[in-house]
């Protein structure tokens, strides 16, 4: 035993947000193991919320203390650069508000057959799966790692850490349980399929470059010759895995089903946090690893962006379920963000596009969490009032809530004086200066189509008569706080976006580390 | 990665063994999906995984070969067999294992295999790697896992914990009073 392994260098302070989230998840598991059943929720909720706040504070502390690091950490595994730190802050904020939405949305006993005696007994005993809190923390930790991974292996592991708890959480809705279980099954199978694509793409790119490090793949683009088929097929297959995660057409099939079936707080987390993390990883792969291959991938991303915007906007019109409608709107928004992904040129143009994307992710994430928060408040006897016809006349029953939702929908449509306007302006102007004018024209047309169904919901709420047995409004204090915060953020980012725009452009200035 | 490749003829013993193992792996993999008995499918899987492990061994990746035997042959196939036995699935010959989509599945499967094989052939037709004995032993692998790859390694253990918790959530029946 004479020779020893040299210890790896780990930048613990830089990784501390990640470590705090994972650590809190593990403490949460211990709470499940040792705390008595009636105390568990009282431990888990503060633990989860505090760890997210602490991780957010640590992100700020890291930036204030050392500035933005300019090289990869943890033996080149994690790139906690400017964009990554901004994305970490965004994900932690969105996860915090999504966790606040968790109320009585989860099934008391997942193993009981829907509608059976066991289920009734579990309800009457007040059973609850408090394991959802550690599972959410695991997923959030995975999101943080996914957006900051500097090589494809870390990215794959993070993808699984992020997805696996989400597959499980999707199947735990308290109401409409068969729909929820179907959603979880579909998400699991399709997600496993897309992970396999991702892994195969990683293997092919490794065969091409001899490394899975993003920056080494980038340098090998100019030095390796004669193996282009490996490179192109590898990049394409890897792209399938990533496009699946953001729900870009033609890989969007899972999104409406999963968003509809999952418990609404989890839907909010997926619509905001997962989208943010997936865009972080997508940008890293396409800009850092395959940046010099731009002429080859940008036509494909063009086509995907156009399809995503148009299909998302058009199919949203035909929906009658509010959560499905928001899911299709989320698909369309992924398309809008993709318009800035192709708008690459020099470093200056890239940082302009990147800051636009970052601002869009914050603005859209907060708005969509707010909208799903409103969805949890409007209740029928059997759960959330999911059918759009039940929302008719909500403006007369509960004008304040209807106005807030209308405001969120207008923000998603991109009306001036809302955060959505500046977000769309930021990505579209970056796309124009990047030479993607045709794409922006399609984007504006798709926005107009999308505005139609947002306005349709608003008209339904304010200009039709309420049904006699209309839904009731349930307003837990935490949900009210979330919706209020999201509405405030949507207003502030719409009227006075400069501080966040500055922050985004400062984070984007140094671009991704290589 | 392109070293001067020796002539293909006459083949070395290594190459012959590797080719034979490949034929066994592919042949038993086809039998896994065509046999009508569930238990036989699991057993053919053992042969396929074993041949793959032999392939790793020929390529001097001895540690990976033993892990393949321990984990896939030893743990996963045994788990599959237990799964078949404990869920009272039909153990004998069952006629309804064939799905109605088998023609479509065959077309998709062959097409996918065609793309992947042609990509690999196009990419690695001229590639040749001289093998150094001991490069795939436990020691170099261990030192690179606990140095270069320490963070993904730890993240994987977090993933396993999350999967475990999820499995407990989905299957626990000890609601109070039982």
């Amino acid at each position: 035993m004479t020779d020893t392994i040299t210890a790896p260098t780990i930048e613990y302070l830089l990784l501390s947000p990640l470590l705090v989230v994972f650590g809190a998840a593990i403490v949460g598991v211990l709470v499940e193991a040792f705390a008595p059943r009636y105390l568990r929720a009282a431990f888990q909720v503060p633990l989860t919320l505090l760890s997210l706040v602490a991780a957010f504070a640590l992100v700020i502390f890291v930036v204030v203390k050392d500035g933005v690091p300019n090289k990869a950490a943890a033996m080149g595994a994690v790139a906690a650069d400017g964009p990554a730190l901004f994305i970490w802050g965004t994900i932690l904020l969105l996860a915090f508000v999504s966790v606040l939405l968790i109320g009585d949305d989860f099934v008391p006993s997942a193993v009981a057959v829907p509608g059976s005696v066991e289920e009734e007994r579990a309800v009457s005993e007040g059973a609850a799966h408090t394991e959802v809190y550690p599972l959410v923390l695991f997923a959030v930790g995975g999101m943080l790692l996914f957006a900051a991974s500097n090589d494809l292996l870390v990215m794959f592991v993070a993808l699984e850490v992020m997805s696996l708890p989400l597959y499980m959480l999707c199947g735990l809705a308290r109401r409409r349980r068969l729909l929820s279980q179907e959603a979880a099954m579909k998400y699991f199978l399709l997600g496993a399929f897309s992970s396999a694509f991702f892994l195969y793409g990683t293997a092919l790119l490794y065969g091409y470059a001899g490394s899975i490090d993003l920056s080494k793949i980038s340098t090998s683009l100019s030095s390796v010759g004669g193996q282009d088929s490996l490179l192109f097929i590898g990049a394409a297959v890897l792209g399938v895995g990533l496009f699946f995660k953001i729900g870009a057409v033609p890989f969007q099939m899972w999104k409406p089903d999963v968003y509809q079936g999952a418990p609404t707080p989890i839907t909010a987390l997926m619509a905001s946090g997962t989208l943010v993390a997936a865009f972080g990883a997508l940008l890293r792969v396409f800009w850092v690893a395959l940046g010099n291959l731009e002429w080859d991938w940008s036509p494909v991303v063009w086509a995907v962006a156009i399809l995503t915007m148009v299909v998302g906007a058009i199919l949203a019109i035909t929906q009658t379920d509010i959560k499905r409608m928001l899911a299709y709107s989320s698909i369309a928004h992924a398309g809008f963000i993709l318009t800035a992904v192709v708008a690459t040129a020099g470093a200056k143009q890239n940082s302009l596009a990147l800051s636009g994307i970052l601002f869009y992710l914050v603005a859209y994430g907060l708005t969509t969490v707010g909208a799903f928060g409103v969805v949890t408040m409007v209740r029928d006897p059997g759960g959330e009032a999911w059918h759009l016809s039940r929302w008719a006349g909500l403006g007369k029953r509960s004008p304040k809530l209807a106005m807030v939702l209308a405001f969120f929908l207008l923000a998603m449509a991109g009306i001036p004086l809302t955060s959505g306007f500046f977000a769309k302006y930021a990505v579209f102007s970056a796309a124009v200066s990047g030479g993607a004018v045709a794409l922006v024209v399609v984007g504006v047309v798709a926005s107009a189509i999308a505005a139609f169904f947002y306005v349709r919901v608003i008209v339904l709420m304010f200009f039709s008569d309420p049904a006699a047995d209309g839904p009731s409004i349930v307003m837990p204090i935490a949900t009210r706080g979330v919706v209020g915060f999201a509405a405030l953020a949507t207003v502030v980012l719409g009227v006075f976006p400069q501080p966040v725009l500055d922050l985004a452009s400062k984070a984007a200035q140094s671009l991704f580390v290589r | 990665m392109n070293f001067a490749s020796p002539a293909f003829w006459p083949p070395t013993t290594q190459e012959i063994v590797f080719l034979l193992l490949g034929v066994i792996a592919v042949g038993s993999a086809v039998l896994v999906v065509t046999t009508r008995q569930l238990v036989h499918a699991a057993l053919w899987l053992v042969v396929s995984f074993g041949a793959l492990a032999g392939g790793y061994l020929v390529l001097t990746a001895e540690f990976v070969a033993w892990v393949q035997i321990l984990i896939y042959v030893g743990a996963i196939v045994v788990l599959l067999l237990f799964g078949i036995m404990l869920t009272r699935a039909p153990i004998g010959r069952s006629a309804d294992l064939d799905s109605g989509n088998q023609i479509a599945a065959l077309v998709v499967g062959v097409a996918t295999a065609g793309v992947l094989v042609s990509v690999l052939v196009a990419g690695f037709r001229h590639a040749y790697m001289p093998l150094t004995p001991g490069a795939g032993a436990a020691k170099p692998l261990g030192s690179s896992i606990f140095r270069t790859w320490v963070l993904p390694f730890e993240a994987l253990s977090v993933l396993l914990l999350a999967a475990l918790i999820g499995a407990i959530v989905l299957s626990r029946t000890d609601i109070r009073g039982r």
Side-chain angles (χ1 to χ4, degrees), chain A residues 57 104 146 148 168 239 272 275 287 293 324 336 357 399 455:
Chain A
D104 61 340
F146 192 43
M168 228 97 64
S272 55
L275 192 77
W287 284 16
L293 202 66
R324 279 184 91 85
F336 296 141
I357 293 172
V455 171

Side-chain angles (χ1 to χ4, degrees), chain A residues 147-469:
Chain A
S149 40
N150 195 39
D151 67 53
L152 291 173
L153 186 70
V154 178
M155 202 175 265
F156 177 71
V157 173
L159 174 75
E160 290 303 304
V161 176
M162 170 179 91
S163 309
L164 204 71
L166 287 177
Y167 300 148
M168 228 97 64
L169 290 166
C170 282
L172 298 181
R174 191 184 196 99
R175 295 159 190 108
R176 296 206 279 170
R177 280 190 63 196
L178 288 178
L179 198 69
S180 166
Q181 289 174 357
E182 184 192 333
M185 198 66 202
K186 272 185 187 161
Y187 193 22
F188 174 64
L189 288 178
L190 292 176
F193 211 56
S194 83
S195 295
F197 269 96
F198 186 96
L199 204 55
Y200 212 98
T202 306
L204 290 179
L205 282 186
Y206 178 76
Y208 172 79
S211 170
I212 47 173
D213 195 285
L214 296 183
S215 55
K216 290 204 181 108
I217 292 174
S218 170
T219 48
S220 75
L221 290 180
S222 54
S223 62
V224 179
Q227 291 188 314
D228 285 349
S229 63
L230 280 181
L231 173 65
F232 290 143
I233 303 281
V237 172
L238 193 66
V240 170
L242 288 168
F243 282 137
F244 176 85
K245 277 295 154 197
I246 63 167
V249 179
F251 313 108
Q252 90 293 10
M253 301 302 286
W254 60 278
K255 224 172 185 180
D257 291 338
V258 171
Y259 279 23
Q260 180 191 22
T264 311
I266 300 304
T267 312
L269 181 67
M270 285 193 291
S272 55
T274 309
L275 192 77
V276 176
F279 262 102
L282 182 100
L283 284 173
R284 231 170 250 289
V285 168
F286 279 108
W287 284 16
V288 178
L290 305 174
N292 297 331
L293 202 66
E294 191 206 332
W295 286 108
D296 296 298
W297 58 254
S298 84
V300 179
V301 180
W302 263 69
V304 170
I306 290 174
L307 273 176
T308 308
M309 288 187 287
V310 172
V311 171
I314 289 178
L315 287 186
I317 296 175
T318 62
Q319 302 307 314
T320 52
D321 183 318
I322 180 101
K323 279 165 86 178
R324 279 184 91 85
M325 192 202 85
L326 288 173
Y328 277 107
S329 121
S330 154
I331 294 172
H333 280 278
F336 296 141
I337 305 177
L338 280 177
T339 57
V341 173
V342 290
T344 53
K348 193 147 172 279
Q349 165 65 23
N350 283 4
S351 76
L352 183 72
L354 182 58
S355 77
I357 293 172
L358 293 178
F359 183 80
Y360 201 112
L361 290 172
V362 179
Y364 173 70
L366 283 170
T367 309
T368 194
V369 170
F372 281 112
V374 174
V375 171
T376 64
M377 286 176 161
V378 181
R379 294 294 177 99
D380 269 340
E384 285 156 8
W386 51 272
H387 200 277
L388 269 180
S389 66
R390 303 287 295 159
W391 291 65
L394 192 74
K396 296 189 174 108
R397 283 171 170 278
S398 172
K400 265 192 243 162
L401 190 68
M403 270 162 72
V404 170
L405 181 64
F407 184 64
F408 286 141
L409 293 176
L410 289 177
M412 286 185 192
I415 304 297
L417 289 183
T418 63
S419 61
F421 173 73
F422 281 105
K424 279 216 176 72
Y425 179 77
V427 291
F428 285 164
S429 65
V432 167
S433 67
V437 180
L439 205 53
V440 172
V441 172
V442 177
V444 171
V445 172
S447 302
I449 301 173
F452 172 75
F453 64 80
Y454 295 128
V455 171
R456 196 183 62 155
V457 176
I458 295 171
V459 169
L460 189 72
M461 285 195 300
F462 286 99
F463 300 105
S464 43
D465 290 325
D469 59 338

